Each structure stands twice: as C-alpha cells, then as structure tokens.
Amino acid sequence: GFSRRGVRGSFVPPIKSSGGNVGNVTSRIAGKCDDSLDDSTKRCLEMLYGPDGELPEKLRNLEPRLIEHVSNEIMERDPNVRWDDIAGLEHAKKCVTEMVIWPLLRPDIFKGCRSPGRGLLLFGPPGTGKTMIGKAIAGEAKATFFYISASSLTSKWIGEGEKLVRALFGVASCRQPAVIFVDEIDSLLSQRKSEGEHESSRRLKTQFLIEMEGFDSGSEQILLIGATNRPQELDEAARRRLTKRLYIPLPSSEARAWIIRNLLEKDGLFKLSKEEIVTICNLTEGYSGSDMKNLVKDASMGPLREALRQGIEITKLKKEDMRPVTLQDFENALQEVRPSVSLNELGTYDEWNKQFGSLS
Ligand code: ADP
C-alpha cells in the first residue's frame, strides 16, 4: 500500500533482502535491539531468513536465544547414519522406507489417499537402534534432523519447555523436509495423571499436541518420530497422533554376529572363525545392540591387557605386535558386560505390539 512507498515513490521493502542487515530481523522477532544479541545468535537468525528477505512468520514471535538453541544444539547438521550401519531390523527398515522416506522424497505422489501419517512411534527395549533409525531416515530422505530428549524438556527447561517446543517446530518448518526425533516421548505424553502433575507440564503437553496437529493436516514436510521403551505409558491422544507404531526388538542372532564383525573389521581386528562367532552368538541371547557394542569394546581390550600383563610398557607397545581378538577375549568380556534388558520386560513389548503395533 501507500505507506510502503518512500518519498520518491520507490518501493521500500519491510526488511532488507540482503540478509546482511540482521538488525531488522532480530528487532522484528523480539522487539529488541541488536546489542542484546551475540554474533552466533545473529548468524542463526540469518540462516533462517527466507529468500524473499522475510523472516518466516512462525519465527517472528520467538525468542532469539531459543531459536539459537534449537539451531545449535537440537538440529544436527549431519547425523551420518546409513541403513547399512544398522544390523537386522529388516522389517522396520522396509516399513519405514515406504511409510516415511518415499513420502518425504516424493511429496507430489504421496498425497490424497496416499498421504502419509506424520507421526511414527518406535518402541522397544533400550539400545536397539531406535535413534539410529531416526538418523538414518533423515539421511536417506535428505531431511534436517532434530533430536530432543523429552525428559530434558521437563527437567532442564523447566517452565520454558513450551516456548522451546514452539521454537523447535518453528525452526523445523523453515528447514523442510525435517525429521523431529523425540526420545523418551513417554515422559512428555504420558497418561499418568499424578496428583502433583504441574500445570506447566500439562501446558507443555498441550502445546506439543497442538504443534503436531498443526503440521499433520497441512502440506508441511515434517515427520515426528517418537521413541520410547515404555509404550504402555502413552495415552490415547498420543497413540492417535503417532499413527504408525513399529516394534524395534532385540537383535537376532544374525544381527548380533553382524555387529561383532562390523565393529571388529573396522579396526582390522577381526580373525574369528564361523564356529567361534556362532558360539558368541549363542552366549549373547538377550543382549541389545548397545550391549553388543559394549561387549565388543571390552573384548577388544583383551589383547592390550594381555600385552601389558606380560610387562610391555604402554608407551613401547607396537600396534602390529598385538594379537587379534579371540573367543577367549569374548568369554572374559561376557563376565563384565551383562544384558541390560530383562526377559519379563520383553513380554510387555510383545503385548503392547499385539494391541497397538502396526504390522506393516
Ligand atoms: P535406542 O535409541 O534404541 O535406545 P540407539 O539407536 O541409541 O538405541 O543405539 C545405541 C548404540 O547401540 C548405537 O549407537 C549402536 O552403536 C548400537 N546399536 C544398537 N542397535 C543397533 C543395531 N540394530 N545395529 C547396529 N548397532 C546398534
């Protein structure tokens, strides 16, 4: 309109489109002057500046320091996990590819009847690769990855969680396609109504559900992944929004063998025979992927400990003199590294999976 024209009648953009004039951006967001913001905050804001020189509407009423926290701490530039790094879980990989990766890569095809759910729940015992899957999805779909642990929202960000959630979804919507991974989502969307449930945690939960609703209906390319090892704590509202629910179980015997081989080969320490691998796999029934990693780490210390026992000084130890990792090293390590998941926990997952899990 008329008010946007200068004295000479030339168009004056509401904010400079060069991107260099951060002052305008920041004052627009927070109504603050430049001096209150440090350089890194300014840089974060600059990056989010649209090509038209406008700050996206979603970010205008957010506090710059929260936007900065999201950009620097929650957003991961390169999660660097590929499908091939994840042992087993073939079924989950196949489902996820169809349900979320294809839609993120081809939004034009996946609309109407094919429009995907925007919420995915990964549940199962701890240390089974749920976070890895989240990162791999972002990598395969060329999406920006955001990682937040829900318990940090309630503990570290007391009273501010709500604002941080808004900043998180705001920045994600400026960085599409985006994958938002919420670890321990049960602590945010739990059905437990303890008497002492604070007003603030109720508001946090409401805000979170509102944000999810917001991108669920629209054309936004945002996927929310919740991970939990306590799926039974989720309430009905949470289940409704996390439409796909995949069980991520303990690794099979083959997957455990794969983890051992993969980790040792990377370091050139792999010399075990097929039979020895089978023996180790039989001894590690019930170990999670993360337990297996710890086991391999401990076993790979075997050759080193032995050399030191023989009196060789650590400073004089030659790498080429160290022997490969043996079955005996694993047998010793098995005494140290015990499985972290108990059998009766597994029954709970199976039951919940039967009742609420997605089969395909
Ligand atoms: P979760 O999110 O399920 O608790 P993570 O994905 O964080 O578990 O896994 C923790 C670590 O355990 C990983 O960094 C990886 O080293 C190892 N790990 C777990 N599951 C697998 C798997 N299926 N394949 C390979 N490594 C795994």
Side-chain angles (χ1 to χ4, degrees):
F2 186 75
S3 60
R4 282 201 176 168
R5 284 171 198 282
V7 264
R8 295 208 174 96
S10 59
F11 177 69
V12 179
I15 39 179
K16 266 196 185 166
S17 52
S18 69
N21 191 346
V22 187
N24 281 335
V25 195
T26 51
S27 47
R28 244 187 121 106
I29 311 178
K32 286 182 185 159
C33 64
D34 276 353
D35 305 340
S36 64
L37 298 167
D38 58 30
D39 286 346
S40 77
T41 308
K42 286 180 198 166
R43 268 196 304 277
C44 286
L45 296 172
E46 254 177 34
M47 273 176 6
L48 296 163
Y49 218 7
D52 52 357
E54 287 275 354
L55 191 75
E57 197 179 323
K58 293 213 163 127
L59 299 181
R60 279 183 203 158
N61 298 315
L62 297 170
E63 281 178 47
R65 75 187 164 88
L66 293 179
I67 295 181
E68 184 189 5
H69 180 77
V70 171
S71 306
N72 287 346
E73 307 296 327
I74 297 180
M75 192 168 95
E76 278 183 40
R77 265 146 243 278
D78 185 14
N80 210 5
V81 175
R82 300 269 135 201
W83 272 153
D84 295 340
D85 299 324
I86 305 175
L89 304 177
E90 303 309 331
H91 172 71
K93 286 183 194 173
K94 184 174 150 277
C95 294
V96 159
T97 302
E98 252 182 46
M99 278 165 2
V100 303
I101 295 179
W102 291 349
L104 285 170
L105 289 172
R106 288 303 301 272
D108 56 325
I109 298 177
F110 286 86
K111 55 185 185 190
C113 296
R114 294 196 196 103
S115 59
R118 301 299 168 89
L120 168 69
L121 180 73
L122 303 177
F123 67 95
T128 47
K130 296 182 286 300
T131 311
M132 288 184 100
I133 292 180
K135 291 183 175 179
I137 290 176
E140 302 285 334
K142 300 175 178 49
T144 322
F145 186 72
F146 295 82
Y147 175 96
I148 192 162
S149 142
S151 65
S152 81
L153 279 174
T154 42
S155 60
K156 201 170 129 209
W157 292 88
I158 320 156
E160 288 202 304
E162 221 182 314
K163 282 193 264 176
L164 191 66
V165 163
R166 276 178 40 218
L168 169 61
F169 283 86
V171 175
S173 100
C174 301
R175 289 265 161 178
Q176 297 180 46
V179 170
I180 300 177
F181 188 94
V182 183
D183 208 356
E184 302 169 75
I185 196 163
D186 53 280
S187 69
L188 185 63
L189 303 180
S190 142
Q191 61 182 335
R192 256 180 317 168
K193 291 267 183 301
S194 56
E195 277 175 35
E197 188 183 11
H198 293 296
E199 176 58 24
S200 70
S201 76
R202 213 177 3 250
R203 281 210 315 268
L204 178 61
K205 179 175 175 179
T206 308
Q207 183 66 38
F208 193 84
L209 293 174
I210 288 173
E211 295 289 350
M212 278 190 77
E213 206 90 319
F215 68 76
D216 202 23
S217 47
S219 54
E220 305 218 14
Q221 292 275 91
I222 304 179
L223 171 73
L224 186 117
I225 305 177
T228 180
N229 34 37
R230 287 191 293 259
Q232 67 281 5
E233 308 241 314
L234 294 172
D235 65 6
E236 197 263 332
R239 286 200 303 270
R240 202 173 53 233
R241 283 166 181 92
L242 299 164
T243 44
K244 286 286 178 184
R245 306 166 205 128
L246 286 182
Y247 182 25
I248 308 299
L250 290 176
S252 63
S253 174
E254 290 77 33
R256 296 198 298 277
W258 188 93
I259 294 177
I260 298 171
R261 176 184 282 272
N262 187 46
L263 291 176
L264 289 179
E265 270 178 352
K266 264 189 203 153
D267 292 345
L269 294 170
F270 186 79
K271 283 277 156 51
L272 297 164
S273 71
K274 259 205 185 105
E275 291 71 32
E276 288 171 323
I277 286 272
V278 170
T279 307
I280 299 171
C281 287
N282 289 337
L283 292 169
T284 50
E285 192 71 46
Y287 277 62
S288 71
S290 144
D291 294 337
M292 289 308 290
K293 185 168 97 175
N294 293 333
L295 184 76
V296 173
K297 275 189 169 180
D298 197 82
S300 67
M301 288 295 289
L304 184 66
R305 290 189 187 122
E306 188 178 289
L308 298 179
R309 254 199 319 273
Q310 288 164 354
I312 304 174
E313 275 180 55
I314 185 85
T315 46
K316 305 226 170 84
L317 188 66
K318 291 203 197 82
K319 265 201 258 173
E320 50 291 1
D321 289 347
M322 267 196 297
R323 59 168 177 78
V325 180
T326 61
L327 176 59
Q328 184 61 54
D329 292 324
F330 273 92
E331 284 171 344
N332 296 341
L334 280 161
Q335 307 302 315
E336 301 299 320
V337 183
R338 305 302 306 159
S340 55
V341 184
S342 73
L343 266 174
N344 45 10
E345 277 173 71
L346 296 178
T348 321
Y349 297 123
D350 275 329
E351 262 169 49
W352 201 85
N353 190 32
K354 275 197 203 110
Q355 199 175 354
F356 299 114
S358 310
L359 290 172
S360 66

